Amino acid sequence: MWNVTTMRLPLFRIGKLTRFDPFILLPAFALVLLGGLWLAVWHQLNEERQLARHATLAKSQALAHTFAETSLRILQQVDHAALLFKIRYEESGGKLTIDNFLRKNGAYNPELPTDTALRLMLIDASGRQIESNLPFDSASVADMPWFRELANRPDNGVVISKPFDPLKLDADEGDKTSKPWLIRLSRRLVLADGKFAGVLLVELDPGQFVDHFDSSDLGAQGVVLLTSPVENLSLRRIGEEMQASNTLVFSEQPGAQDRDDRSASLIKQHSSTSDSMNANIEQRYLQTPFDNVRRLYSARSLAEFGLVGLVGLTEDQALVQYQRHKIRYRLVAAVITLLILGFIAILMRQSQHLQLALRQIRTSEARLHTIADTIPAMVAYIDAEQRHRFHNAAYGRSLGPNSEQVLGKTVREVVGEARYQFFLPYILRVLSGEALVYEQESETDGVYRCLESHYIPQFDIDSGEVVGFHVMRQDITSKKLEQLRLQQLAQVDALTGLCNRAGFQLRLQDAMQRSRNQHGLLALLYLDIDHFKPVNDTHGHKVGDSLLQAFAQRLSRVFRSSDTVARLGGDEFTVIMENLHSREDAINLAAKVVLAMQPEFELLAAGGAIEVGVTVRVSSSVGLAFYQGEEQSAEQLIHEADMMLYQAKRGGRNRYVVSEA
């Protein structure tokens, strides 16, 4: 078998290619290739820039979410402390003091960070400040709106006042102060009779929210902001520096210093939401006037407290990795450009040598293709990816009118999924380096056909790996039919037409294998003709042969078409019965055999009577054994049935004996 891997290659049409000057075609190809390369580099850099921005967006969003959750948790715990004081105060009938509440082992068991400073102030029903854990102004708060609201409201809920600046900064002072503003919560106190007893006022420095937030992920120029849009108050931290302000220092324009609604839209839109932790998040690059650094801000609203938390990451921080990749990609692209230019120069020198070599290959291909087409056998070559790369005319005729379209297609695509599963084991074996031969039988519209296929692996000359395989297939239907005919003749008893001993042995082994696989019940009958020898001795061998034929016919009529009736030799017969529902089915058939053989036999010779008026009366003895997947050989099963036949003979003949095994 020759190597047909060179018979059909995906070649350029040399006649058309030579119309173009390679010194024009190759440089043009190089320009297109380099243009695509640099376009890909530009596209990749643009994608990485966008990815870097999106990654920073996600990070700032997560940090803003964490900052808002941390701040909200502290505020909720502060409110919890105020509620706990209210409960203990009312339980004590108004006798609980702030000192007793805050002392060690007192009623207050704070869950706040240890360095969180709270100012608690107790105010009586007239608005007079009577106690505080910090120095306080003794002036009355009876005219304060929040006090009047608590004194007149019917329920005992918390009142959250707007954040306020205790120093009352005015516009002239601007951002000169670093003193923080405060957040105020108040709880209504009542006595046992339900009368208004006063107010517990809690003041909290919001700078503690910013201070407790872990800023390690912000970088050196990252900003964390807590703002009160309604009161125009803000608190920010850049690095370790904390700054408080009575303005919303935020602008969408570089260097802008105004405080109009458009400049602070990112903050104000979050101050109006009613859901403090599920507000929509907007992120954008804004340039803040306090240091003119472009940052990406994400905001989270704490609406019930009138606050908005923001986290800003610098644009430079977001694009650090992008800048490194930008230099690296451009350097790699420049090196590839030089390599491509050098490679094109080499190709231009070798182009004429290549054209000559291609012409020689095509001439050799045409010669080998002509030789292959004259071979009556079907010849093909399939590569390691299971794709058809070559086939001769005979193989093409077997594929139909579109045989040329098969080239380049996989075996699965050509033959379909069902037939591919049949071929796959053989394909895997030949691709592993094994040469093999197998037969494929089929029957279409009653027409039998058999193909013999030879698979020969093709090894790579250098590596020794299998790169494909050759297929040579020929029709051996006539030869196979003759073999089957001879095989069937070898398994048929010439006198009775039943299965002979050789055929019986094969079918019994197959039946026992099916019984083991399916755990089905199998029965074996072993029988002979009682008093056969006297008939043979009295009337001669021709009458004996006619009796054997008549006995076989009568025996076959008792059993199903799926049962195997065989003559082992002489007057010995066997029957294989498969797929029985119960032992009784086989026992009933054994009884029918005994009854069927009792009537007289009128024997005829071929073409007429052997002896006029010859009538023979015989009987049959039957031995019956069963099998249902046990560890037993065919010889052992036959022996067991034979022993049952022997017992039937000893018991007086004309009967059956069943094995109890």
Side-chain angles (χ1 to χ4, degrees):
M1 190 68 181
W2 58 85
N3 183 353
V4 296
T5 56
T6 58
M7 289 186 177
R8 187 175 297 275
L9 298 173
L11 304 177
F12 294 105
R13 296 299 181 184
I14 303 301
K16 295 182 180 180
L17 185 61
T18 52
R19 298 177 186 176
F20 299 95
D21 187 348
F23 290 95
I24 297 177
L25 184 61
L26 290 177
F29 172 75
L31 289 176
V32 173
L33 187 61
L34 292 175
L37 171 65
W38 285 99
L39 181 62
V41 171
W42 174 84
H43 178 74
Q44 178 66 23
L45 288 174
N46 186 60
E47 287 292 322
E48 291 206 10
R49 181 182 179 88
Q50 295 300 324
L51 288 175
R53 293 172 67 96
H54 288 310
T56 307
L57 284 173
K59 183 177 180 180
S60 66
Q61 175 182 341
L63 291 173
H65 180 79
T66 301
F67 176 54
E69 281 189 334
T70 302
S71 302
L72 182 62
R73 185 168 57 252
I74 294 175
L75 288 169
Q76 290 173 342
Q77 291 170 352
V78 169
D79 180 51
H80 177 72
L83 179 60
L84 182 61
F85 181 89
K86 167 184 170 61
I87 294 172
R88 294 290 187 265
Y89 181 85
E90 293 173 353
E91 288 176 350
S92 66
K95 297 179 180 180
L96 178 66
T97 64
I98 293 177
D99 289 340
N100 291 334
F101 180 72
L102 296 178
R103 76 182 180 198
K104 186 176 181 180
N105 299 325
Y108 177 51
N109 184 19
E111 298 179 358
L112 295 168
T114 56
D115 57 346
T116 302
L118 295 179
R119 178 177 181 180
L120 279 71
M121 183 177 297
L122 186 60
I123 303 171
D124 63 13
S126 64
R128 185 172 57 87
Q129 303 176 24
I130 58 177
E131 185 183 5
S132 174
N133 62 331
L134 295 175
F136 64 92
D137 186 359
S138 60
S140 174
V141 296
D143 295 332
M144 294 294 180
W146 55 267
F147 181 81
R148 291 198 304 271
E149 178 182 355
L150 284 173
N152 298 324
R153 68 186 301 170
D155 58 67
N156 295 323
V158 64
V159 171
I160 303 172
S161 303
K162 297 177 182 179
F164 71 100
D165 182 3
L167 300 181
K168 305 185 184 304
L169 296 176
D170 55 27
D172 295 335
E173 290 175 322
D175 286 334
K176 296 178 182 179
T177 181
S178 60
K179 297 294 184 180
W181 36 276
L182 300 175
I183 299 173
R184 175 177 290 168
L185 293 86
S186 49
R187 281 279 183 179
R188 185 173 187 266
L189 303 177
V190 297
L191 297 177
D193 55 2
K195 293 183 178 180
F196 177 63
V199 172
L200 174 68
L201 182 66
V202 183
E203 293 180 348
L204 178 67
D205 177 8
Q208 297 177 84
F209 304 162
V210 178
D211 192 48
H212 289 152
F213 180 69
D214 184 8
S215 60
S216 59
D217 293 331
L218 297 177
Q221 293 295 317
V223 173
V224 56
L225 280 165
L226 185 66
T227 67
S228 174
V230 177
E231 299 300 317
N232 288 341
L233 298 173
S234 65
L235 190 67
R236 62 179 177 268
R237 187 176 71 181
I238 304 177
E240 298 301 325
E241 181 182 359
M242 185 83 70
Q243 298 176 355
S245 173
N246 65 338
T247 60
L248 287 179
V249 284
F250 222 83
S251 174
E252 296 181 0
Q253 302 297 329
Q257 300 291 332
D258 59 313
R259 288 171 48 190
D260 61 8
D261 292 339
R262 180 179 59 82
S263 301
S265 60
L266 179 62
I267 299 175
K268 288 184 179 293
Q269 70 171 342
H270 287 277
S271 64
S272 60
T273 179
S274 60
D275 186 354
S276 61
M277 292 311 301
N278 294 302
N280 293 328
I281 298 175
E282 177 186 355
Q283 305 97 351
R284 68 177 81 168
Y285 277 110
L286 301 174
Q287 189 157 329
T288 49
F290 52 80
D291 58 2
N292 290 327
V293 175
R294 283 178 57 82
R295 295 183 180 88
L296 180 70
Y297 287 92
S298 293
R300 277 281 187 170
S301 173
L302 287 77
E304 61 183 287
F305 295 99
L307 301 173
V308 176
L310 298 96
V311 173
L313 301 177
T314 63
E315 185 177 29
D316 292 341
Q317 179 183 355
L319 301 180
V320 170
Q321 187 174 5
Y322 161 77
Q323 296 294 345
R324 291 199 298 266
H325 286 185
K326 181 178 180 181
I327 298 173
R328 185 183 307 165
Y329 289 165
R330 288 180 176 178
L331 180 61
V332 172
V335 173
I336 294 176
T337 298
L338 294 177
L339 293 176
I340 290 175
L341 293 177
F343 182 67
I344 292 298
I346 295 174
L347 286 180
M348 292 174 65
R349 285 197 305 170
Q350 298 295 327
S351 61
Q352 293 186 352
H353 297 288
L354 177 61
Q355 291 180 34
L356 178 60
L358 291 177
R359 290 193 187 97
Q360 294 175 350
I361 291 174
R362 293 192 63 200
T363 301
S364 176
E365 179 192 44
R367 186 183 303 115
L368 292 176
H369 204 287
T370 301
I371 296 173
D373 285 341
T374 61
I375 299 175
M378 293 172 279
V379 180
Y381 176 73
I382 300 173
D383 64 16
E385 296 180 353
Q386 303 183 25
R387 295 187 180 275
H388 290 80
R389 295 304 180 189
F390 164 80
H391 63 75
N392 68 350
Y395 194 95
R397 287 191 296 270
S398 69
L399 298 176
N402 298 324
S403 61
E404 288 300 324
Q405 299 179 6
V406 171
L407 295 178
K409 292 186 177 180
T410 64
V411 178
R412 187 196 298 267
E413 294 172 336
V414 173
V415 304
E417 184 63 31
R419 294 185 62 196
Y420 175 73
Q421 293 302 323
F422 170 80
F423 290 124
L424 183 58
Y426 302 106
I427 293 176
L428 295 178
R429 287 171 60 185
V430 72
L431 289 178
S432 67
E434 176 186 356
L436 54 97
V437 180
Y438 69 92
E439 295 178 359
Q440 180 185 357
E441 298 178 333
S442 63
E443 187 171 349
T444 305
D445 297 331
V447 178
Y448 172 79
R449 189 183 184 195
C450 183
L451 299 177
E452 183 182 70
S453 298
H454 293 253
Y455 282 6
I456 304 172
Q458 176 64 49
F459 296 94
D460 183 75
I461 297 176
D462 298 325
S463 65
E465 296 180 352
V466 177
V467 295
F469 62 97
H470 305 278
V471 179
M472 187 171 68
R473 184 176 295 134
Q474 54 186 344
D475 193 331
I476 59 169
T477 303
S478 300
K479 178 182 176 182
K480 191 68 177 179
L481 289 174
E482 181 63 19
Q483 289 178 351
L484 292 175
R485 187 183 70 83
L486 294 176
Q487 183 179 3
Q488 290 177 355
L489 290 176
Q491 296 181 8
V492 174
D493 179 60
L495 179 62
T496 62
L498 300 177
C499 203
N500 62 12
R501 181 180 292 272
F504 163 74
Q505 293 283 357
L506 292 175
R507 297 191 184 189
L508 179 60
Q509 291 176 359
D510 293 341
M512 293 178 70
Q513 181 63 46
R514 286 191 291 271
S515 175
R516 284 191 292 271
N517 294 339
Q518 304 171 7
H519 203 64
L521 180 61
L522 178 149
L524 175 64
L525 274 73
Y526 203 125
L527 63 152
D528 67 359
I529 304 174
D530 296 332
H531 308 296
F532 175 73
K533 188 175 185 302
V535 173
N536 206 29
D537 293 343
T538 303
H539 301 285
H541 292 293
K542 290 185 178 180
V543 174
D545 290 345
S546 183
L547 176 59
L548 290 172
Q549 292 173 341
F551 185 91
Q553 292 174 3
R554 194 176 293 183
L555 181 64
S556 298
R557 287 194 293 270
V558 174
F559 295 96
R560 304 169 298 179
S561 60
S562 60
D563 298 331
T564 299
V565 182
R567 178 186 175 223
L568 301 186
D571 64 337
E572 293 183 342
F573 294 83
T574 57
V575 182
I576 304 172
M577 293 181 289
E578 297 185 70
N579 301 320
L580 296 172
H581 295 291
S582 65
R583 292 165 56 96
E584 285 71 18
D585 293 342
I587 294 173
N588 292 335
L589 289 174
K592 287 183 180 180
V593 171
V594 174
L595 292 175
M597 302 308 169
Q598 292 176 356
E600 296 177 343
F601 285 89
E602 294 183 0
L603 304 177
L604 298 175
I610 298 175
E611 291 183 11
V612 178
V614 173
T615 300
V616 175
R617 183 183 294 275
V618 295
S619 61
S620 179
S621 298
V622 180
L624 179 59
F626 292 95
Y627 178 81
Q628 196 169 9
E630 297 88 353
E631 292 296 332
Q632 187 179 21
S633 66
E635 289 75 13
Q636 291 172 333
L637 183 61
I638 295 171
H639 178 72
E640 183 180 351
D642 188 23
M643 292 299 297
M644 296 303 102
L645 173 61
Y646 177 72
Q647 293 183 21
K649 289 285 190 181
R650 292 185 60 186
R653 295 184 174 86
N654 193 25
R655 66 183 62 214
Y656 64 89
V657 176
V658 181
S659 171
E660 297 300 328

